[in-house]
Amino acid sequence: MGKGQAEEYQGKSLDEIDLHLEEELLGNNNDDNPAEISDIDDHYAHLLQKKRRCLVPWTEEQNKLVKEFFKHHKEDKKLPKRNECETLISQQTAALHNKSCLKIKVFVQNIYTNKQKA
C-alpha cells in the first residue's frame, strides 16, 4: 500500500497475497551503522544508572528557622504549601540557600510524624 501498488492486490483474498515481509525487514537491517547503535546503547545505559543522592545535613540554624516558621503546621499536622516554603526561603535566603521547597516540606512532615525529634 505504501509503495502505491494497492491495485495489484485488488480482488484477492489474504491467502492469495504473498508480501515477502521477512526479506524487507532483513534488507533494512543492513543500513544500520554499528557506531550509531553503540551510541544509542551507551545513552540508554547511562540513563539506567542509578542517580546518587547528595545529602546535605540540616544546620541547627536551618532547623530552628523552619521549626519556628511552621510551628502551626506541626500542631495541625499539615504540609506547608509551596508558596509558604518560597516565602520562608526568600526571607531567610542566606540560611536556606541549599534547601528547596520539597526538602522543607519533607522536613516539616518528618517533624510531625515523629521521624525526627521536635
Side-chain angles (χ1 to χ4, degrees):
M1 296 286 186
K3 295 179 182 177
Q5 300 170 345
E7 296 170 356
E8 182 179 326
Y9 304 110
Q10 188 174 2
K12 293 185 178 180
S13 70
L14 292 176
D15 294 331
E16 298 172 333
I17 300 172
D18 188 18
L19 296 176
H20 306 288
L21 293 176
E22 293 160 358
E23 292 173 10
E24 289 182 27
L25 291 175
L26 292 174
N28 289 339
N29 286 344
N30 295 335
D31 297 336
D32 292 337
N33 183 350
E36 289 177 7
I37 293 172
S38 176
D39 290 343
I40 292 170
D41 289 344
D42 291 343
H43 175 71
Y44 284 111
H46 176 70
L47 291 176
L48 294 175
Q49 291 177 350
K50 289 185 178 180
K51 284 186 174 181
R52 291 193 170 250
R53 291 191 323 170
C54 180
L55 299 177
V56 179
W58 287 74
T59 64
E60 282 298 319
E61 180 185 10
Q62 291 172 333
N63 201 329
K64 182 179 174 185
L65 287 170
V66 173
K67 285 180 180 179
E68 180 62 31
F69 191 84
F70 292 112
K71 63 183 173 190
H72 296 294
H73 290 74
K74 177 187 165 194
E75 295 165 3
D76 299 338
K77 294 189 176 187
K78 70 174 192 175
L79 279 177
K81 304 246 185 276
R82 181 176 186 85
N83 63 349
E84 294 171 322
C85 294
E86 289 172 350
T87 301
L88 174 62
I89 291 171
S90 66
Q91 289 175 1
Q92 303 293 336
T93 305
L96 298 171
H97 67 280
N98 62 348
K99 301 299 178 195
S100 66
C101 291
L102 180 61
K103 288 184 180 188
I104 292 173
K105 282 179 142 182
V106 170
F107 181 81
V108 173
Q109 182 180 21
N110 287 343
I111 290 172
Y112 71 71
T113 57
N114 296 324
K115 291 183 180 177
Q116 183 175 350
K117 291 183 179 179

